[in-house]
Amino acid sequence: EVQLLESGGDLVQPGGSLRLSCAASGFILYNSAMNWVRQAPGKGLEWVSAIGGFNDNTWYADSVKGRFTISRDNSKNTLFLHMNSLRVEDTAIYYCAKALGSSPRTASHSWGQGTLVTVSS
Amino acid sequence: DIQMTQSPSSLSASVGDKVTITCRASQGISNFLAWYQQRPGKVPNLLIHGASTLQSGVPSRFSGSGSGTDFTLTISSLQPEDVATYYCQEYDRAPLNFGPGTRVDLK
């Protein structure tokens, strides 16, 4: 059974940094495309970033490009989102989601429970 | 970037009603379109991928259609547990944008 468990969400000041983790079980992380999707309080879903399976190809939303980095530790079967220069508008629940295939050009069929990032002074 | 729009933004319907939600892409995306359901306070759940392929475990009252720029999600007979917000998402090219969502309530 696929399971995804996010952690690392916290209250951080504007301009600060944070690293989110997504521990994966039930499948080999390296083989699958993975996404980070966020949802601001009371708002809709916003795709943030993706990493391809079997390679290190990455994609980013314009709103986070240059500030966020997606990566994975294959030995720990864990996905990361490194977030720098955080802004108030980055406040959201961050979900990791597993794609149906090894390409990000597939839908996300398994989602974690999310971790809350709050950016405030 | 491909922009996704949905209509209506919200709707109220009775149990047993047929419900239709539309999603439009600003450029052609073939069938690289998914529909997700998010119940209040819950995690998003994949309903449809490839515009019309029902995800395993999803009730058959849900169906999807369309290709190119115009897509439809249909609930053939609305049930109380279908109260949720529904999102479309294109995954043809980055950024993999979601639509703004359609909130479905019971009348």
Side-chain angles (χ1 to χ4, degrees), chain A:
Chain A
E1 178 190 4
V2 170
Q3 290 193 340
L4 300 167
L5 183 61
E6 302 95 335
S7 61
D10 205 348
L11 171 63
V12 60
Q13 291 188 339
S17 298
L18 212 54
R19 187 186 77 166
L20 305 184
S21 301
C22 173
S25 59
F27 70 102
I28 300 172
L29 186 67
Y30 178 71
N31 296 354
S32 182
M34 296 293 295
N35 294 273
W36 285 99
V37 176
R38 69 185 181 184
Q39 187 167 36
K43 302 298 184 182
L45 301 173
E46 179 186 10
W47 176 82
V48 173
S49 181
I51 186 167
F54 300 108
N55 59 56
D56 290 329
N57 292 341
T58 57
W59 293 263
Y60 297 95
D62 290 345
S63 59
V64 306
K65 201 172 294 182
R67 301 188 299 122
F68 290 12
T69 303
I70 189 172
S71 66
R72 61 184 166 221
D73 183 331
N74 297 324
S75 67
K76 296 181 180 178
N77 223 42
T78 300
L79 180 74
F80 300 104
L81 185 67
H82 306 260
M83 304 187 295
N84 296 321
S85 302
L86 282 162
R87 305 167 180 169
V88 171
E89 54 265 33
D90 294 320
T91 295
I93 297 172
Y94 284 73
Y95 298 102
C96 69
K98 178 186 180 299
L100 280 168
S102 59
S103 167
R105 297 178 79 214
T106 53
S108 293
H109 72 104
S110 291
W111 296 61
Q113 291 301 305
T115 187
L116 177 62
V117 172
T118 303
V119 184
S120 175
S121 54

Side-chain angles (χ1 to χ4, degrees), chain B residues 58-94:
Chain B
V58 173
S60 59
R61 64 180 179 274
F62 292 93
S63 64
S65 64
S67 181
T69 60
D70 294 310
F71 303 87
T72 300
L73 173 70
T74 301
I75 309 173
S76 61
S77 177
L78 188 70
Q79 300 301 303
E81 60 266 32
D82 301 334
V83 169
T85 300
Y86 294 83
Y87 298 92
C88 61
Q89 183 198 24
E90 70 86 8
Y91 49 89
D92 184 32
R93 68 200 81 160

Side-chain angles (χ1 to χ4, degrees), chain B residues 45-68:
Chain B
N45 180 48
L46 176 64
L47 299 176
I48 302 279
H49 61 92
S52 60
T53 301
L54 194 68
Q55 174 65 4
S56 176
V58 173
S60 59
R61 64 180 179 274
F62 292 93
S63 64
S65 64
S67 181

